[in-house]
Amino acid sequence: MTTYKVDLPPPASRLVLIVGDGLRADKLYQLHSDESGQQITKAPFLRDIILNHGTFGVSHTRVPTESRPGHVAIIAGFYEDVSAVTKGWKANPVEFDSVFNQSRHTWSFGSPDILPMFADGASDPNKVETFMYGHESENFAEDAKGLDIWVFDQLAQLLTNSSFNAKLYQQLHDDQIVIFLHLLGLDTNGHAYGPHSKEYMDNIKVVDEGINKTVRLIEEYYEHDGKTSYVFTADHGMSNRGNHGDGHPDNTRTPIIAWGAGVNKPNKTHPSGHDEFSADWHLDEVQRNDILQADIAPFMASLIGINYPVNSVGELPLAYLDNTPLFKAQSLFVNAKEISEQYQVKYELKKRTEIMFKPFVPLSNPTHNREILLSKIQGLIDSEQYEEAEVICEILIQLSLEGLRYFQTYDWLMLRSIVTVGYLGWIFYSLKYTLKEYCLSNNSLSNNSYKHSDSIAKYINILAIISLAILISIMYVQESPATYYTYVIFAVCFCWDSLLDYKIFTESCKLALGSRSPFILIGYIIGHIIALEIFVYSYFERSILSGCFVLGALWPLIMPSSFRSENKLLLFYWSMSCLASGIFTLLPVEKGEDILLVVYGGILILITGINSMVKSTKYITGKDHDSKTMIIFQLSLVALSIIIVYDTTNKLKSRAGLPVLNQYIAWIILGISTATPFFYGLRRKQHYLKRLTTISLAFAPLFVILSISYEVLFYYFLTQTLLFWLEIERKLFLLEQSKQKQQEQESYRKLEMRDSRISLIFLFFIKVGFFGTGNVASLGSFSLQSVYRLTTIFNPFLMGGLLILKILIPFFIVSSVFYILNKSIRLSPFSLFLLVLSISDIMTLNFFYLVRDDGSWLEIGTTISHFVISSLFVLFMILLFLLSEVLVGKVIIPEDEEKEKKGEKND
């Protein structure tokens, strides 16, 4: 694409960009009480700039509120796709233009996680120089102010070095240069202690002092030539619990302060822009000028007279510019040409490839298009009608952005239709396979009664081939990406295969109904759909799961009276456990650290484990004499993990750092305990309760180590509820079997209509695992404090991996219980899993249509997260099944063992 810049002398020769990583706007601008109760500011220098020398406001970011997308928006002027959150620490997932790339030379100082992404992507590798500290410096157990002090010191050293380095001196005195200071201390202290902490607020003071000294140093170095522009902002904010990533306003509202050459002084004549958010800042006497984060890039390019980044969609904030009317109009004109150029490229591409092309109407009128508007703007500037030119520029920018949006979503209707058909086809295909393999009897399959006649099959085949050919031809002509072909092929193939075997569904319905009314089946289907819709709503409102737990506690009331009378104690425990588990989805996801709750949860696990060991004689065989030893060993690891967590947390609170001995012990516990179920008891038969005890105790120490509040209590009650559910379903099955006069001879029975209840309850427990202690759909609902017992050195992959492992632990228990239940009620190992998979994509289809690209960034990010989670559910379920098969191993089901013994006697 063509590059554009203002062909007028720029106000500044150099730009100093300072980014306070993770700085919330309100925390910088607010006044705070000192020890005497007096209201003071933590940033007196920046506040003085706001009141007397520059322009300020709030920079509104977009999701994901992570470091990479935030810096790309600031420096390149465009917003990466939300999927960039998965590439947050990858150097260059996509190539892009930036202010650094267009500058004559850039010096950048700061984190090794941020600087390389702009240096490696520069057109000239020598254009962007980086000065970085080591990864080991990013330690959450230490006060991170030193990281920011290091950055300021390195810049001072660079300026000092230029006195005896002629080349460096010349580069520093060139025009169109950029100095970039990345201050990570705020983000690190925010993660470690939270944005309300003393450490975070003291870090703001350090940043303010550092900026004050740096500005004085630069002004003295350049002899106060008035050619330096300064911009201070942040890449993202920080939630109250010290996280970021989602679209919460605390994460999307960041400060923006600009001063120096070419920047407006404070507007005190008619100050405006203030609202409830800024009510306690006490800055009402000056105007607040809010911008979008991408607007910073063209603003910086205008100040030093470089080409605007070609990918920028930012709109030049004229309120920040202090220059002649001609310069302002020309700057906005260049902005309009650069953005409309992107529209034109997209327009030409779609026009060339679309079969029935529909242009963007507002810019396709012969009397109102890009060329005419550009010509009109130029004419207004030539005739010195600058304000009128600015108005037309803003209109062209807005229309160009709307046009870009129009072409980006041009294929939505077709894609949504194909994807919808694909999902429906997959639902019916997977359900058909499940019914065929695990529902219909062998006799029904052998007579091929479900097959079509050759003529009908022929028509279906022809229809499928024609549909596929037409759709692929359209994709080819439109030069669609390879993923579009995948959508089409899967949609056609799934529907084609399901239509060929439609009689499988009718035969299954007949088998399920027997002599009963068809309204019973319809009621079952409607009931299941309602249950799935409730699960969908639980993604938005966790308390729905608490309501489901209450219904579960009342479940015994509709059980057979004979069953209730024989299992009073079991059903009482089940109801109490359901009510206790339901508490956790009512608790807020933003939980602070409470080590006592972790200890109490660990003690409950110890008490229950000891009780299990005492009663284990009922299900320990002679070949399993070392079981008590193993339980004692596992309980010892749980106890040790409680001690380590308690001691480490107190050490961290006292700022003594992470004790090395505690860290090593925690890693050893994690390794040994997690490996236990994979090495102990897999090659020999164990009673199913003994095996589940081993599995639950194996992951308990890891959960204790990675917990900061009520998570361990959740793990305990969820495990108990699952065990009670297993026992209830087993006993209900045995009761049903005892009522049948003729016992089945096969090892595995076929799926029945009542088994769908089990699949729904399993799906419910999976949802509880997702949302029991947080909101998996929100990146900010899990605290990094959870990993500080294992590491405090910043490592996104290691820390992220540990958090994911913590999230997955409840699923390991759920899948293991489900696997044993599947075996206990004599179903084929994969049958119920497949049944769950068959119905779960009904929820995915819901989330597909709930995805939003308008509204608040919190709403947009949440809906996208929900869809991604639900889409990955199929793969997740398969992995859970495989893992549960490995974890459970060979277990003894008492009824099966008795049956085997009877068979041996008969032989």
Side-chain angles (χ1 to χ4, degrees):
M1 287 186 288
T2 307
T3 56
Y4 299 94
K5 71 174 183 177
V6 181
D7 292 325
L8 292 172
S13 297
R14 66 201 71 91
L15 169 76
V16 180
L17 171 62
I18 308 169
V19 175
D21 200 309
L23 177 59
R24 274 169 53 165
D26 56 342
K27 293 304 172 187
L28 176 67
Y29 296 144
Q30 284 172 344
L31 296 178
H32 305 271
S33 299
D34 61 7
E35 295 178 356
S36 63
Q38 184 179 356
Q39 293 288 299
I40 62 169
T41 176
K42 289 289 184 179
F45 175 75
L46 290 174
R47 193 173 182 87
D48 179 65
I49 293 292
I50 292 171
L51 293 172
N52 301 298
H53 305 289
T55 303
F56 95 109
V58 175
S59 170
H60 296 273
T61 73
R62 292 189 181 182
V63 288
T65 47
E66 297 287 349
S67 290
R68 177 189 165 81
H71 280 88
V72 168
I74 293 168
I75 300 167
F78 75 95
Y79 303 104
E80 288 191 317
D81 187 79
V82 176
S83 63
V85 70
T86 62
K87 305 170 183 177
W89 308 105
K90 185 177 177 181
N92 279 304
V94 292
E95 296 298 330
F96 57 86
D97 194 17
S98 70
V99 170
F100 294 175
N101 188 53
Q102 293 294 345
S103 69
R104 191 179 305 278
H105 201 89
T106 294
W107 291 268
S108 56
F109 304 83
S111 168
D113 301 312
I114 299 299
L115 305 190
M117 70 177 70
F118 296 99
D120 297 343
S123 56
D124 180 359
N126 298 318
K127 180 178 287 188
V128 181
E129 291 187 48
T130 59
F131 300 82
M132 303 175 289
Y133 40 75
H135 282 286
E136 66 280 357
S137 300
E138 301 174 19
N139 192 334
F140 290 103
E142 299 175 0
D143 197 333
K145 294 192 294 285
L147 300 178
D148 299 341
I149 295 172
W150 183 93
V151 169
F152 293 127
D153 290 345
Q154 289 299 306
L155 173 59
Q157 187 63 49
L158 178 78
L159 298 179
T160 301
N161 292 343
S162 68
S163 60
F164 46 83
N165 185 327
K167 181 181 178 181
L168 177 60
Y169 181 87
Q170 181 58 47
Q171 287 178 326
L172 285 168
H173 284 78
D174 280 336
D175 60 355
Q176 299 182 343
I177 65 170
V178 177
I179 296 173
F180 172 45
L181 307 180
H182 175 245
L183 309 177
L184 186 64
L186 286 161
D187 186 70
T188 306
N189 277 327
H191 283 308
Y193 308 109
H196 299 286
S197 65
K198 180 179 181 296
E199 289 77 9
Y200 189 85
M201 301 311 299
D202 287 347
N203 206 143
I204 292 177
K205 184 178 180 181
V206 167
V207 167
D208 183 75
E209 292 172 350
I211 293 174
N212 185 9
K213 293 177 182 178
T214 298
V215 169
R216 284 194 280 114
L217 181 66
I218 290 174
E219 291 300 321
E220 290 173 5
Y221 181 81
Y222 289 106
E223 299 178 347
H224 301 277
D225 63 354
K227 288 291 185 178
T228 307
S229 298
Y230 301 90
V231 175
F232 176 70
T233 187
D235 53 347
H236 55 75
M238 184 75 63
S239 71
N240 288 334
R241 61 180 303 166
N243 286 330
H244 54 83
D246 61 24
H248 192 280
D250 286 342
N251 294 329
T252 60
R253 293 187 292 212
T254 61
I256 170 73
I257 305 172
W259 70 98
V263 181
N264 255 333
K265 300 295 188 291
N267 178 5
K268 298 183 178 182
T269 307
H270 300 289
S272 61
H274 292 278
D275 54 22
E276 291 182 6
F277 178 57
S278 57
D280 61 346
W281 299 353
H282 302 286
L283 293 171
D284 298 347
E285 61 186 278
V286 295
Q287 183 165 315
R288 168 182 154 189
N289 298 284
D290 287 10
I291 63 172
L292 300 178
Q293 194 172 48
D295 299 344
I296 299 173
F299 173 55
M300 295 190 297
S302 173
L303 289 173
I304 57 176
I306 60 175
N307 292 324
Y308 287 31
V310 296
N311 307 113
S312 172
V313 294
E315 183 177 352
L316 183 68
L318 290 178
Y320 281 75
L321 279 180
D322 178 24
N323 215 306
T324 64
L326 172 61
F327 185 88
K328 288 184 177 181
Q330 284 283 18
S331 297
L332 195 58
F333 185 35
V334 169
N335 193 196
K337 287 195 285 187
E338 177 264 324
I339 293 177
S340 63
E341 174 78 10
Q342 298 179 60
Y343 161 81
Q344 192 65 28
V345 170
K346 202 75 175 177
Y347 169 84
E348 296 295 340
L349 175 63
K350 283 294 179 184
K351 184 179 180 181
R352 179 172 56 85
T353 58
E354 290 295 325
I355 295 175
M356 298 177 66
F357 177 67
K358 295 180 180 179
F360 179 60
V361 176
L363 282 177
S364 301
N365 193 306
T367 60
H368 193 274
N369 55 46
R370 177 176 182 263
E371 289 72 22
I372 290 176
L373 289 175
L374 289 175
S375 177
K376 187 175 182 179
I377 294 168
Q378 187 63 64
L380 289 170
I381 293 176
D382 293 341
S383 61
E384 299 184 0
Q385 300 179 57
Y386 302 124
E387 291 186 1
E388 291 83 351
E390 290 173 8
V391 171
I392 305 299
C393 284
E394 290 175 351
I395 292 173
L396 179 56
I397 288 172
Q398 292 306 315
L399 289 176
S400 297
L401 292 175
E402 290 174 15
L404 279 172
R405 168 74 180 161
Y406 172 77
F407 288 124
Q408 287 168 354
T409 60
Y410 191 88
D411 298 321
W412 268 25
L413 179 59
M414 180 186 68
L415 282 177
R416 280 191 168 185
S417 301
I418 293 172
V419 171
T420 300
V421 173
Y423 271 116
L424 292 174
W426 163 252
I427 291 169
F428 282 107
Y429 175 81
S430 57
L431 191 58
K432 182 212 74 171
Y433 178 84
T434 305
L435 295 174
K436 178 182 175 182
E437 294 295 327
Y438 302 111
C439 185
L440 294 176
S441 64
N442 293 330
N443 292 332
S444 299
L445 294 174
S446 61
N447 60 28
N448 291 325
S449 62
Y450 63 90
K451 287 291 184 182
H452 281 290
S453 64
D454 292 339
S455 59
I456 297 177
K458 179 181 177 182
Y459 288 127
I460 292 175
N461 291 335
I462 292 172
L463 178 63
I465 292 170
I466 292 174
S467 301
L468 188 61
I470 292 173
L471 290 171
I472 287 181
S473 299
I474 293 173
M475 298 295 163
Y476 179 78
V477 172
Q478 296 183 171
E479 299 181 7
S480 301
T483 51
Y484 287 21
Y485 290 89
T486 306
Y487 300 152
V488 168
I489 292 171
F490 276 110
V492 173
C493 289
F494 286 144
C495 292
W496 168 58
D497 191 83
S498 300
L499 284 173
L500 281 177
D501 295 335
Y502 86 93
K503 285 194 175 181
I504 287 180
F505 297 102
T506 59
E507 290 295 321
S508 299
C509 290
K510 291 177 184 178
L511 182 64
L513 285 173
S515 59
R516 290 172 287 188
S517 168
F519 291 106
I520 295 177
L521 179 61
I522 295 172
Y524 249 86
I525 294 172
I526 294 175
H528 281 64
I529 292 176
I530 292 174
L532 292 172
E533 293 302 317
I534 290 173
F535 292 160
V536 169
Y537 188 66
S538 71
Y539 278 68
F540 301 93
E541 186 58 58
R542 291 168 64 240
S543 60
I544 288 292
L545 298 174
S546 298
C548 294
F549 269 120
V550 172
L551 292 177
L554 300 175
W555 179 29
L557 297 179
I558 61 172
M559 292 179 184
S561 57
S562 59
F563 183 83
R564 291 203 306 268
S565 60
E566 293 174 5
N567 299 278
K568 288 181 180 179
L569 194 58
L570 172 62
L571 296 179
F572 173 75
Y573 287 153
W574 157 260
S575 297
M576 292 300 101
S577 186
C578 279
L579 294 175
S581 298
I583 294 173
F584 298 99
T585 46
L586 293 174
L587 298 176
V589 294
E590 292 194 0
K591 48 189 177 292
E593 188 173 54
D594 191 337
I595 192 61
L596 289 179
L597 289 179
V598 178
V599 173
Y600 295 153
I603 291 173
L604 274 177
I605 292 174
L606 287 175
I607 293 172
T608 306
I610 293 170
N611 181 61
S612 173
M613 181 180 64
V614 171
K615 295 182 177 181
S616 63
T617 52
K618 293 181 180 180
Y619 52 84
I620 290 180
T621 63
K623 297 178 181 179
D624 202 20
H625 60 275
D626 61 339
S627 293
K628 285 191 176 181
T629 304
M630 175 51 65
I631 294 177
I632 292 172
F633 174 70
Q634 289 185 296
L635 290 175
S636 301
L637 291 179
V638 174
L640 184 58
S641 66
I642 295 171
I643 295 170
I644 290 297
V645 165
Y646 186 80
D647 183 63
T648 302
T649 302
N650 289 331
K651 290 289 198 316
L652 290 172
K653 282 183 177 179
S654 64
R655 309 296 185 257
L658 175 61
V660 176
L661 179 61
N662 289 12
Q663 183 183 20
Y664 286 156
I665 293 174
W667 276 108
I668 292 171
I669 292 172
L670 184 150
I672 294 175
S673 184
T674 306
T676 300
F678 295 98
F679 293 99
Y680 172 75
L682 280 182
R683 296 185 179 181
R684 61 180 177 182
K685 289 189 175 182
Q686 289 180 299
H687 191 281
Y688 72 95
L689 288 177
K690 168 62 183 70
R691 187 61 191 165
L692 286 175
T693 301
T694 301
I695 294 170
S696 60
L697 287 178
F699 293 113
L702 176 57
F703 216 73
V704 170
I705 291 172
L706 293 175
S707 295
I708 62 170
S709 185
Y710 58 76
E711 302 102 303
V712 182
L713 290 169
F714 165 76
Y715 177 79
Y716 171 79
F717 284 109
L718 177 64
T719 303
Q720 295 302 306
T721 307
L722 286 166
L723 291 174
F724 294 140
W725 175 53
L726 170 63
E727 289 303 295
I728 289 173
E729 291 290 0
R730 277 175 34 78
K731 291 180 181 293
L732 283 173
F733 173 72
L734 293 175
L735 177 64
E736 188 70 25
Q737 287 293 99
S738 66
K739 292 180 180 179
Q740 295 179 2
K741 296 180 180 180
Q742 185 178 356
Q743 296 293 324
E744 299 178 48
Q745 298 300 318
E746 294 87 354
S747 300
Y748 298 116
R749 65 180 179 86
K750 295 295 182 180
L751 280 171
E752 300 174 13
M753 199 157 61
R754 59 189 170 89
D755 294 319
S756 59
R757 181 197 70 237
I758 299 174
S759 65
L760 278 180
I761 295 176
F762 168 68
L763 197 56
F764 164 71
F765 279 119
I766 289 292
K767 302 307 172 190
V768 172
F770 268 116
F771 300 110
T773 60
N775 181 1
V776 175
S778 171
L779 298 173
S781 72
F782 295 96
S783 174
L784 279 181
Q785 286 177 297
S786 299
V787 303
Y788 292 167
R789 291 79 182 253
L790 294 166
T791 180
T792 55
I793 304 298
F794 181 65
N795 185 325
F797 297 107
L798 176 60
M799 290 179 164
L802 289 171
L803 282 176
I804 290 172
L805 180 59
K806 175 188 174 183
I807 293 168
L808 291 177
I809 289 174
F811 304 128
F812 298 161
I813 308 300
V814 174
S815 61
S816 298
V817 169
F818 190 60
Y819 184 87
I820 291 176
L821 175 57
N822 204 81
K823 191 177 180 67
S824 297
I825 60 178
R826 295 177 52 229
L827 285 173
S828 298
F830 205 36
S831 57
L832 277 178
F833 272 99
L834 276 178
L835 187 59
V836 172
L837 290 181
S838 300
I839 62 175
S840 63
D841 271 327
I842 295 175
M843 295 190 298
T844 307
L845 200 53
N846 273 268
F847 291 125
F848 177 66
Y849 280 96
L850 287 172
V851 169
R852 297 182 57 177
D853 60 347
D854 57 1
S856 73
W857 284 106
L858 177 59
E859 293 168 334
I860 294 171
T862 300
T863 58
I864 292 173
S865 300
H866 289 164
F867 175 66
V868 171
I869 291 170
S870 192
S871 298
L872 294 175
F873 189 74
V874 172
L875 177 62
F876 180 65
M877 285 295 301
I878 294 172
L879 294 176
L880 272 184
F881 172 77
L882 296 175
L883 180 64
S884 64
E885 201 169 21
V886 173
L887 277 174
V888 172
K890 300 176 181 179
V891 293
I892 298 171
I893 306 297
E895 295 78 20
D896 292 344
E897 190 177 32
E898 290 176 9
K899 189 176 178 181
E900 289 177 9
K901 289 179 179 178
K902 288 180 180 178
E904 290 174 1
K905 289 180 180 179
N906 292 333
D907 292 340

